[in-house]
Structure formats: C-alpha cells, structure tokens
Amino acid sequence: MELFEKLYDEHEKAQVRFVGFTTDETRYDFGIVYTNMFFGKPLVVCMQTGRSALLDPNDAADIEYLQTTFRIKDQQQAADLAEFFRSALPTMPFEPQYE
C-alpha cells in the first residue's frame, strides 16, 4: 500500500513578476506567480515575510482579508496594498479546474 495518494503533479512554465515598491509608511517586496493552476488566481508571495496567498481582484479589494493574510496592522497600509494589486493582478474569468 502506498503511503500517499497523489492528487496532482503538474509541470508548467509560469510567468513570475518580482516587484518592490514603497508607500508613505512601508516597503513591500512581492513575487507574483501567474499560473493556469488554482482557478487562474496568481500566487502572491511576500518576499520579506514568506506569507503567501492566491489572490484575484476581488480578494485584493478586501482590505480586512489583506490585513489578515499579510498581517498588516494599519488599515491604510492594507488599502495602499489593495491599490497596488488592483493594477498588478489580471482580471480573469472563472474557469472550473476540476471536473
């Protein structure tokens, strides 16, 4: 008997964007992995903390979600981050990944 059951094992050439920027209060460094996996949501990784999330434009507009996910204390900082994500994340139609 196998120790685990493989659910998926996909290889893909993904596009990755590394971006660093500052606001009035904070510096940010992110890696954004654009992939066909995860229902088309890019994988966003904070290069400073290692925290990551799958984000689409609706997720990125949710200030409280950004505060929780990236552990941002100040609501204005999360709003600044949401503004960045608004331009950085693609708007993609929902596509079912599992059939």
Side-chain angles (χ1 to χ4, degrees):
M1 180 176 192
E2 289 188 32
L3 183 61
F4 60 90
E5 180 180 347
K6 188 181 288 188
L7 298 176
Y8 61 90
D9 184 1
E10 299 290 327
H11 295 270
E12 176 183 8
K13 289 189 179 208
Q15 181 180 358
V16 181
R17 176 183 178 189
F18 295 100
V19 61
F21 62 95
T22 62
T23 64
D24 290 338
E25 302 293 325
T26 307
R27 175 187 169 134
Y28 296 100
D29 297 282
F30 284 101
I32 305 172
V33 181
Y34 301 95
T35 175
N36 292 319
M37 298 292 293
F38 313 118
F39 306 101
K41 289 186 176 188
L43 174 63
V44 179
V45 180
C46 177
M47 304 304 288
Q48 295 170 336
T49 64
R51 292 182 186 94
S52 63
L54 297 169
L55 296 179
D56 67 13
N58 291 333
D59 300 324
D62 186 338
I63 303 299
E64 290 180 7
Y65 179 72
L66 291 178
Q67 281 185 273
T68 302
T69 301
F70 294 106
R71 295 188 184 161
I72 300 170
K73 295 178 182 177
D74 184 81
Q75 192 170 22
Q76 182 57 49
Q77 290 176 351
D80 292 341
L81 194 55
E83 180 65 28
F84 165 74
F85 287 139
R86 195 170 295 122
S87 64
L89 299 179
T91 55
M92 299 178 69
F94 176 79
E95 294 187 23
Q97 187 162 346
Y98 307 106
E99 295 181 24

